[in-house]
Amino acid sequence: MKNRFTARRNRVVLAVMAAVATHATQAAHAQDQDLPDAAAVIARYQEAVGGVQALAGYSSMRAVGELAMPAQGLSASMQTFAARPNRSAMIISIDGFGEIRTGVVGDTAWSMNPMEGPRLLQGAELTQTVEESAFESSLRPSAMISSATTVERTTLAGRPCLKVRLEWQSGRESFDCYSEETGLLVGTTAVQETNMGRIEAVTLLDDYRDFGGLRTPTRITIQTMGVEQIITIREVAFNDVDDDAFALPSQIRALIR
């Protein structure tokens, strides 16, 4: 027992030392490249998409589009809804398969599909989903970020960008890449917490268009586990979402009870 405890303690110490060393290396590399401060990079991005004030004028948002997985020959219609302070819902309808539905209401996150049935998210998956579903999370508000560091100049999917390491208030880590030319977010890299475990995911953002004074990516490509998903947004509307959009399905209410 003592040996197991000692070994576990040593692993924790080594992990902490490795994290500190990695952060120090990134900071030194950033200094060598004369990189802009991360706060300035994020502030420029916020202005590039329309400014924090523009989003502050809205209480809800609805987006309509399609999801495709070309290699699998799959296509589906998709609707997403979001509202302050922390409510979201998504419905993906696939012909011959049915609906994939997910949602967040406060600190409760859930999913439901024909293969898994209804499920309440737990642990790290719950924490990440709730955090990412916050109405203003896409703008990287300082209240949600505990630290941000510009790491390097690099490329993502062939596009030059500034790589910024984010540590969120929950403790999770992600990396953003911002275009130096436009200030817009090119993409993100992060570990996704799922019921199948932790999965590395790359999200690429393209074709920004103006909806209600906010520039929004209308082509979102998600690459994970060798699978590519492409989301195409056709319509974005603000302040026209009914509370019914966030209603918990009866199957989810039963799990909560």
Side-chain angles (χ1 to χ4, degrees), residues 9-91:
R9 181 197 62 193
N10 290 343
R11 286 197 297 271
V12 172
V13 171
L14 289 172
V16 172
M17 291 176 63
V20 171
T22 299
H23 181 70
T25 300
Q26 291 174 345
H29 187 53
Q31 188 173 15
D32 290 342
Q33 288 194 333
D34 190 26
L35 299 174
D37 181 72
V41 174
I42 294 172
R44 185 183 176 215
Y45 157 66
Q46 292 170 344
E47 288 303 313
V49 297
V52 174
Q53 299 82 1
L55 186 60
Y58 299 120
S59 60
S60 66
M61 178 178 65
R62 174 179 57 86
V64 178
E66 292 81 35
L67 179 146
M69 299 173 65
Q72 288 72 30
L74 181 149
S75 62
S77 63
M78 184 182 70
Q79 296 183 77
T80 63
F81 307 89
R84 297 182 186 275
N86 197 21
R87 293 186 295 169
S88 68
M90 180 173 65
I91 304 173

Side-chain angles (χ1 to χ4, degrees), residues 18 31 36 38 56 82 87 185 192 194 216-217 221 246-247:
Q31 188 173 15
R87 293 186 295 169
L185 183 60
Q192 293 294 319
T194 75
T216 303
T221 304
F246 309 105

Side-chain angles (χ1 to χ4, degrees), residues 2-3 19 28 31 66 70 72 84 91 101 105 112 114 151 157 159 164 185 188 196 205 219 230 238 243 247:
K2 181 178 179 181
N3 289 339
Q31 188 173 15
E66 292 81 35
Q72 288 72 30
R84 297 182 186 275
I91 304 173
R101 300 182 62 187
V105 178
M112 188 167 63
V151 176
R159 291 178 288 175
V164 174
L185 183 60
T188 67
M196 297 181 294
L205 309 175
R219 181 182 171 88
I230 300 174
F238 297 93
D243 286 342

Side-chain angles (χ1 to χ4, degrees), residues 177-194:
C177 264
Y178 298 92
S179 168
E180 282 196 88
E181 180 181 356
T182 67
L184 295 171
L185 183 60
V186 170
T188 67
T189 303
V191 172
Q192 293 294 319
E193 302 285 352
T194 75

